[in-house]
């Protein structure tokens, strides 16, 4: 039972267990789009990156803050021991559209279309937006974004043929050009270790691999096997209260989970009993630090949550749109809000109080193909939805009120099918 939630009668509990069992055992196999991506992969998993990492290329002419800089160099070192004794850094949602805050508090957003990756940014913290800027790069890519220890954002993009990355040359400043990061794959996610080193996971037909910075802001390891993981899976990461990274990977037949055994340390084996298959997932954290995971499938959206440092609840049905893309973020008072988008509709649900159960799903907007949420510098959530007409956004105007869906600076952005 969820801490702080009302008790269930024996009959109600049986109903939840039955619905959960049906969900976990009957979700469909991976989509044909996933199969096509896997079939076109240039290699069974990302393997082509060099141990030395990327070399700085000529910078993009765009500089939203007018800053110039040089990417820092760091000799390869073994991962640093211990943590920085700072609050854990929670990963940004990965997907076809991603957003994160620059060091100066401005949100930056990236969206991947057939012609490559496009970029827009707030012109001031909590403010209005630039027009979209095309960046080329991998087409129809899955994206991930993370912040280096010195405050520079780094973007990762993978499709079935290639893996690339680019980074800010100074905090909130100009961006490098694209640089090789590996071979093709299905999906990627990025998180930050307790000592500030970025770690990247990527899935492909052979399972899940990862690589990590050898020092904060520094060079990268080679790709390493994780010992398995679901093939061609959707991947997300979260951070435990003690700074340990946790990884969640979902494909059409299984949901698996692994975690660091200590901050900055080694990893557990994959837990293949975490759940059945599904369509998409999102991971977040409660105000008290407990992690919570949502998964979508043909029966709607289900979730499970930590009951303690190592224990998890069973899966619980929440309703919501079938086979939806999922994203989540937190309000200023610590309540998790979840957004689910399929081709017909977008819906929203949220906790009724920090660490508490959820209210019902409510209509939130039109349908589309991808959704992501990010938090402004003042704590208000901003949601980006993408589809065949480009990218729209909405933001909180109060604790329970939202702006209309609009384009960014009257520019549609890329088509995200």
């Amino acid at each position: 039972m969820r801490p702080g939630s009302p008790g269930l009668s024996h009959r109600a509990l049986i109903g939840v267990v039955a619905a959960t069992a049906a969900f976990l055992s009957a979700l469909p196999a991976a989509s044909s789009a996933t199969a096509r991506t896997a079939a076109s992969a240039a290699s069974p998993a990302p393997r082509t990156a060099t141990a030395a990492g990327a070399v700085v290329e000529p910078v993009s002419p765009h500089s939203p803050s007018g800053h110039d800089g040089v990417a820092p160099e760091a000799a390869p070192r073994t991962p640093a021991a211990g943590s920085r004794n700072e609050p854990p850094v929670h990963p940004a949602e990965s997907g076809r559209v991603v957003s994160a805050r620059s060091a100066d508090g401005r949100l930056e957003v990236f969206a991947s279309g057939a012609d490559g990756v496009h970029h827009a940014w707030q012109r001031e913290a909590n403010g209005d937006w630039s027009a979209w800027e095309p960046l080329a790069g991998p087409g129809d890519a899955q994206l991930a974004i993370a912040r280096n220890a010195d405050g520079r954002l780094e973007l990762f993009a993978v499709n079935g043929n290639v893996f690339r990355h680019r980074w800010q040359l100074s905090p909130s400043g100009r961006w490098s050009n694209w640089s090789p990061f590996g071979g093709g794959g299905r999906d990627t996610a990025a998180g930050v270790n307790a000592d500030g080193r970025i770690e990247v996971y990527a899935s492909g037909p052979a399972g899940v691999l990862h690589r990590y910075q050898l020092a904060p802001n520094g060079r990268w390891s080679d790709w390493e096997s994780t010992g398995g993981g679901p093939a061609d899976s959707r991947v997300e990461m979260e951070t435990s209260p003690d700074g340990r990274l946790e990884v969640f990977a979902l494909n059409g037949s299984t949901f698996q989970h692994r975690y660091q055994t200590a901050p900055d340390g080694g990893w557990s084996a994959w837990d293949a009993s975490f759940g059945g298959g599904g369509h998409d997932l999102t991971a977040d954290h409660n105000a008290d630090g407990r992690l919570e995971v949502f998964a979508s499938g043909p029966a709607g959206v289900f979730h499970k949550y930590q009951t303690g440092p190592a224990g998890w609840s069973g899966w619980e049905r929440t309703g919501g749109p079938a086979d939806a893309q999922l994203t989540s973020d937190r309000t200023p008072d610590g309540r998790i809000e979840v957004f689910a988008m399929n081709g017909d509709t977008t819906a929203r649900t949220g906790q009724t109080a920090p660490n508490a159960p959820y209210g019902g799903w409510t209509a939130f907007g039109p349908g589309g193909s991808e959704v992501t949420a990010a938090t402004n510098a003042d704590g208000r959530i901003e949601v980006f939805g993408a589809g065949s007409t480009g990218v729209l956004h909405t933001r909180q105007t109060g604790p329970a009120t939202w702006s209309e869906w609009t384009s960014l600076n009257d520019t549609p952005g890329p088509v995200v099918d």
Side-chain angles (χ1 to χ4, degrees):
M1 187 185 305
R2 181 186 189 85
S5 65
L8 293 175
S9 68
H10 181 67
R11 179 175 298 175
L13 181 59
I14 291 173
V16 169
V17 171
T20 301
F23 168 71
L24 298 178
S25 64
L27 293 190
S31 68
S32 59
T34 299
R36 286 194 299 272
T37 301
S40 64
S43 60
R47 288 289 187 184
T48 62
T50 63
V55 177
V56 176
E57 300 182 23
V59 301
S60 162
H62 158 59
S63 176
S65 299
H67 295 162
D68 295 304
V70 177
E73 290 289 332
R77 295 201 299 266
T78 56
S83 72
R84 296 176 294 167
N85 295 319
E86 296 179 3
V89 177
H90 293 278
E93 194 96 29
S94 61
R96 294 284 299 279
V97 182
V98 298
S99 181
R101 286 204 308 269
S102 271
D104 60 7
R106 293 175 304 106
L107 282 174
E108 306 217 12
V109 62
F110 298 83
S112 177
D115 61 345
V117 180
H118 295 242
H119 174 212
W121 58 93
Q122 286 180 329
R123 293 186 283 199
E124 60 182 21
N126 312 310
D128 63 356
W129 287 85
S130 73
W132 286 95
E133 170 192 61
L135 301 177
D140 292 326
Q142 296 289 333
L143 309 176
I145 191 167
R147 182 182 293 184
N148 280 279
D150 61 9
R152 293 175 303 111
L153 294 177
E154 191 150 351
L155 178 71
F156 306 88
V158 64
N159 64 16
N161 301 308
V162 69
F163 203 151
R164 296 283 188 262
H165 71 143
R166 60 190 291 148
W167 55 90
Q168 288 178 327
L169 298 173
S170 61
S172 306
R174 293 176 181 259
W175 287 79
S176 74
N177 286 339
W178 293 103
S179 188
F181 198 68
R186 168 66 178 87
D187 195 21
T188 187
V192 178
N193 279 278
D195 61 9
R197 292 175 302 112
I198 298 174
E199 190 145 355
V200 176
Y201 272 71
S203 67
V208 182
L209 301 180
H210 74 137
R211 68 185 303 193
Y212 45 84
Q213 288 179 323
L214 298 168
N217 313 311
R219 300 180 186 270
W220 290 86
S221 73
D222 290 327
W223 285 101
E224 298 178 0
S225 171
T226 67
D232 293 322
S233 52
R234 299 300 304 264
V235 184
E236 293 290 351
M237 301 178 73
E238 246 296 358
T239 308
S240 291
D242 62 1
R244 292 178 301 109
L245 291 173
E246 306 214 10
V247 179
F248 305 90
L250 171 75
N251 66 14
S253 59
T254 185
F255 196 156
Q256 298 185 25
H257 166 227
R258 78 190 302 242
Y259 50 88
Q260 287 180 321
T261 56
D264 310 315
W267 288 84
S268 72
W270 287 99
D271 176 9
S273 66
F274 195 72
H279 179 79
D280 195 27
L281 75 158
T282 184
D284 221 306
H285 61 282
N286 281 275
D288 59 13
R290 290 177 303 113
L291 302 189
E292 190 145 358
V293 180
F294 288 77
S296 65
V301 181
F302 287 68
H303 76 138
K304 68 188 302 184
Y305 43 85
Q306 285 183 319
T307 55
W312 288 83
S313 72
W315 286 99
E316 298 178 0
R317 189 173 185 173
T318 72
D323 291 327
Q325 297 297 112
L326 301 177
T327 188
S328 57
D329 216 318
R330 294 152 308 283
T331 60
D333 63 358
R335 293 177 298 106
I336 297 174
E337 299 251 332
V338 184
F339 307 88
M341 172 184 283
N342 63 18
D344 300 319
T345 188
T346 301
R348 165 185 164 268
T349 187
Q351 289 177 318
T352 56
N355 311 312
Y358 289 78
W361 288 91
T362 58
F364 191 68
S369 60
E370 185 63 287
V371 63
T372 198
T375 305
N376 280 279
D378 60 11
R380 291 175 303 120
I381 297 174
E382 193 140 350
V383 180
F384 304 87
S388 60
T389 60
V391 181
L392 301 176
H393 75 128
T394 179
R395 64 175 61 174
Q396 283 183 311
T397 55
T401 57
W402 294 79
S403 69
E404 296 293 324
W405 288 92
T406 60
S407 59
L408 276 63
N409 198 358
D410 297 322
T411 55
V415 170
V416 181
D417 290 326

